[in-house]
Amino acid sequence: QYMRFLVFRNPSFDPMARFDFDNDLAVVQSSLIGVTADAINPDIRPFIESGGKLLMHHGWGDMLVPALRTTQYYEEVIDTVGVTLSESSDSEPLDAVRDHARLFMVPGTYHCSGGPGAFWFDPLPVIEDWAENGNPPDRIEATHPSSGPNDRSFTRPLCPYPQLARYTGAPGDTVAETLAESFVCADPE
């Protein structure tokens, strides 16, 4: 459907029958969808220089877009932009980038939402507070809404990459295990 309607704009196009890698791949890459969806340039300096704040999130369980590609892209931004920014601010490249762009990986979440993780949060107040008040997000509280009798609701913090949520409550405390405040954002060990 992607090829038929968004790239070739031809409802009868059958990529299984006639996709030509020598010619059609270039069409996909140069299409409006290809140019828009393939945001792979890690040099986001013009965006940063215009005052932009980039809040990215990606589900670890995303079956459509590989989560590791998003972490790789963020690392590329750090290597490309962070080094330049850190030279003028006397900070580490990661810290320099985190003033302008943050990535939050969402455990147990599929493409955009759904899954066994805490996937629901409202990004608008987070980005507004960052852009308007200068408060970058160090943690975002997300909720897993109950979808039935065997699925309990819970909250978890989403942590800025590369940090992870670590449980600080008592082992076996079934109430504390459902509350975001029982977790801290910490660097991976």
Side-chain angles (χ1 to χ4, degrees):
Q1 302 304 334
Y2 175 83
M3 296 295 218
R4 277 188 190 113
F5 296 105
L6 296 175
V7 174
F8 291 98
R9 299 175 192 262
N10 176 355
S12 63
F13 180 80
D14 184 358
M16 301 305 287
R18 72 160 215 99
F19 190 82
D20 176 2
F21 276 95
D22 293 328
N23 298 310
D24 291 344
L25 191 57
V27 173
V28 173
Q29 291 172 328
S30 66
S31 72
L32 177 60
I33 295 300
V35 170
T36 303
D38 291 342
I40 59 173
N41 183 352
D43 188 355
I44 61 170
R45 280 179 286 207
F47 175 77
I48 289 171
E49 290 166 359
S50 73
K53 303 295 184 193
L54 180 60
L55 177 67
M56 301 182 339
H57 64 92
H58 196 128
W60 276 116
D62 190 333
M63 294 171 270
L64 182 61
V65 178
L68 289 177
R69 178 58 189 117
T70 299
T71 60
Q72 180 186 26
Y73 172 76
Y74 191 68
E75 296 284 346
E76 290 167 2
V77 169
I78 293 166
D79 292 343
T80 302
V81 177
V83 172
T84 304
L85 292 174
S86 66
E87 291 170 355
S88 62
S89 66
D90 223 15
S91 62
E92 292 297 316
L94 172 61
D95 295 329
V97 167
R98 289 181 69 209
D99 287 341
H100 309 281
R102 295 207 176 185
L103 169 62
F104 290 81
M105 297 305 293
V106 189
T109 298
Y110 302 148
H111 187 71
C112 297
S113 68
F119 57 84
W120 190 93
F121 70 96
D122 185 355
L124 187 57
V126 176
I127 198 75
E128 282 178 340
D129 191 36
W130 189 9
E132 295 174 7
N133 303 318
N135 298 319
D138 289 324
R139 168 184 175 119
I140 300 172
E141 189 168 306
T143 301
H144 175 87
S146 175
S147 64
N150 295 327
D151 184 27
R152 66 183 182 157
S153 178
F154 60 89
T155 59
R156 289 285 184 278
L158 304 180
C159 303
Y161 180 84
Q163 291 184 336
L164 305 167
R166 297 254 189 255
Y167 180 63
T168 59
D173 183 341
T174 57
V175 173
E177 292 171 353
T178 66
L179 304 173
E181 52 267 15
S182 298
F183 294 80
V184 297
C185 290
D187 289 329
E189 295 178 0

